Amino acid sequence: MASKLPDDFRCPISLEIMSDPVILQSGHTFDRVSIQRWLDSGNRTCPISKIPLPENPSLIPNHALRSLISNYALVSPQKSCLGTDDEQPVALISALVSRSSSPELKLGSLIRLVRVTKRDSSLRRRVTESGAVPAVLDCVDSGNLCLQEKALSLLLNLSLEDDNKVGLVADGVVRRIVRLLRIGSSDCRAVAATLLTSLAVVEVNKATIGSYPDAIPALVSLLRNGNNRERKEAATALYALCSFPDNRKRVVDCGSVPILVQAVDSGLERAVEVLGLLVKCRGGRDEMIKVSGCVKVLVNVLGKGSAKGIQYALFILNCLCCCSREILDEVGREGVIEICLNLMEDEGEKIRRNAANLVRTLHGNSMLA
């Protein structure tokens, strides 16, 4: 009977049916015992892809696959955490996953699940371990606006658990998010961007999301065309993704730099933080140098911005001055040295340090002129 099971239920190492499937950073799933034995033997590459692994690789439970295997009744499932004392969440999940449930019943279940999982970590784990995620994703795909919005909100709640982040990406959530970034309602677009930020907390997800077709372009488009909330969430997602160096070129290549500069000028300070990461790559610096008025926008942040905005603006100006004589001269004409001297008395250590670095750059290059 076991031979009739799908091959995906078998561990690639032991070829046995998995009782505790876990996801490696490479995105491949193994039975916990088998992959742990592989790691304990000193191996630090994925057995399938040969991708290098960190010294202490994370093993993320694949709750959805475990539930599917358990449903075949060929692997003894662990005692469900949805016991008899939790009939309400059991009923909500049952209504959500049932093919016979009406859209109205599914919506009611989603609304209540969003409410109860918002602050309850144990319930978030229960929903995931029940195998309900595919049903939630079906609601995202449904075309029903109300179902989409509530399903996204539930996915956002579930993503608050670190163990769920890689699993959600493996289940195909990124494809749905990207689609709704383009064609969803305003609320859907904002929540979709927030969900990407949450998923990008995990390093392997930064790479996966960044390389996904249209993910970064969709965020840049939302930054350009969205309302205030959408633009803020898009900028936050871009910042999370750009902490992974390979994504910076992708963001620059989407024509994001002029859009980000304009966003900073309109008061969206999260955008200056994104620029602070993009300036670390050559393409980002080259694009900033081309943008007319970029220096004036950054200098304006020095005078009116928050502490973090000032910190990033100083860093960006210093990087640009180090690679462009024209920028250096423009910064000097804007009276930045005097501003920096005042900022060197600031309470924030990073602001003082960045201001001092910019002063040294300006003084050093002026003496060479």
Side-chain angles (χ1 to χ4, degrees):
M1 189 173 183
S3 63
K4 297 179 181 179
L5 281 173
D7 288 340
D8 289 344
F9 287 7
R10 299 180 182 278
C11 174
I13 297 176
S14 69
L15 302 181
E16 299 293 332
I17 304 304
M18 291 182 279
S19 60
D20 187 9
V22 293
I23 305 171
L24 204 58
Q25 277 99 327
S26 63
H28 295 286
T29 296
F30 305 88
D31 200 29
R32 184 183 293 275
V33 173
S34 298
I35 192 60
Q36 191 62 61
R37 188 181 297 119
W38 168 269
L39 297 172
D40 290 344
S41 298
N43 296 294
R44 286 301 178 268
T45 58
C46 171
I48 295 178
S49 67
K50 307 304 179 184
I51 292 175
L53 301 172
E55 184 60 31
N56 297 303
S58 299
L59 301 179
I60 310 298
N62 191 333
H63 299 303
L65 181 57
R66 185 173 67 181
S67 177
L68 288 173
I69 296 172
S70 297
N71 287 340
Y72 271 77
L74 293 171
V75 176
S76 298
Q78 297 178 356
K79 183 179 179 181
S80 173
C81 57
L82 290 170
T84 58
D85 294 334
D86 296 301
E87 290 301 325
Q88 184 181 47
V90 172
L92 294 174
I93 293 170
S94 178
L96 183 61
V97 301
S98 174
R99 293 184 179 275
S100 62
S101 295
S102 66
E104 292 76 17
L105 184 57
K106 289 180 183 290
L107 178 59
S109 297
L110 284 170
I111 290 172
R112 295 171 70 184
L113 285 170
V114 169
R115 185 170 64 249
V116 299
T117 58
K118 188 171 185 179
R119 294 183 176 85
D120 193 325
S121 176
S122 63
L123 280 177
R124 291 195 288 267
R125 291 194 296 272
R126 292 177 184 186
V127 172
T128 307
E129 291 172 4
S130 72
V133 169
V136 181
L137 295 177
D138 286 343
C139 291
V140 174
D141 287 336
S142 68
N144 182 310
L145 178 60
C146 293
L147 283 178
Q148 287 177 339
E149 291 179 355
K150 293 305 176 184
L152 273 180
S153 295
L154 180 55
L155 290 170
L156 178 58
N157 287 354
L158 298 181
S159 75
L160 297 177
E161 298 298 312
D162 286 347
D163 285 353
N164 289 344
K165 296 181 190 296
V166 174
L168 287 172
V169 171
D171 285 337
V173 71
V174 176
R175 174 174 64 81
R176 276 80 170 191
I177 295 173
V178 171
R179 178 173 174 271
L180 290 182
L181 284 173
R182 292 291 195 186
I183 67 170
S185 66
S186 178
D187 284 343
C188 278
R189 291 194 297 267
V191 176
T194 306
L195 180 51
L196 281 183
T197 301
S198 179
L199 295 173
V201 168
V202 177
E203 199 69 16
V204 67
N205 282 353
K206 291 181 174 68
T208 302
I209 296 169
S211 61
Y212 193 91
D214 206 36
I216 287 176
L219 287 170
V220 173
S221 178
L222 190 61
L223 179 66
R224 180 181 61 241
N225 300 320
N227 60 31
N228 288 339
R229 180 190 175 199
E230 293 164 358
R231 292 168 65 238
K232 180 179 179 181
E233 297 301 341
T236 302
L238 288 170
Y239 180 81
L241 292 172
C242 285
S243 64
F244 183 68
D246 288 356
N247 285 335
R248 294 168 191 165
K249 184 178 185 301
R250 295 180 176 124
V251 174
V252 171
D253 289 346
C254 287
S256 64
V257 171
I259 298 169
L260 286 162
V261 173
Q262 184 177 11
V264 175
D265 194 32
S266 67
L268 182 60
E269 283 207 351
R270 177 66 75 178
V272 78
E273 298 174 25
V274 182
L275 289 172
L277 295 178
L278 297 184
V279 79
K280 295 180 180 181
C281 71
R282 180 175 179 178
R285 294 191 295 272
D286 291 345
E287 290 301 312
M288 289 178 214
I289 290 170
K290 295 176 185 177
V291 176
S292 176
C294 180
V295 168
K296 287 184 179 295
V297 169
L298 294 171
V299 172
N300 188 53
V301 174
L302 297 183
K304 300 178 180 179
S306 66
K308 183 168 285 190
I310 292 171
Q311 170 194 326
Y312 276 97
L314 288 167
F315 177 75
I316 296 167
L317 287 169
N318 190 40
C319 291
L320 297 180
C321 286
C322 288
C323 63
S324 169
R325 183 74 208 189
E326 290 183 5
I327 296 293
L328 180 76
D329 292 341
E330 185 178 355
V331 170
R333 292 193 297 271
E334 292 290 334
V336 171
I337 287 184
E338 183 178 352
I339 297 173
C340 287
L341 292 175
N342 290 329
L343 290 174
M344 287 169 66
E345 304 298 324
D346 191 89
E347 294 180 358
E349 188 273 335
K350 290 183 178 180
I351 289 180
R352 295 198 306 270
R353 183 174 68 244
N354 286 352
N357 288 340
L358 182 51
V359 167
R360 280 194 291 270
T361 298
L362 293 170
H363 274 314
N365 282 278
S366 63
M367 287 188 291
L368 292 174

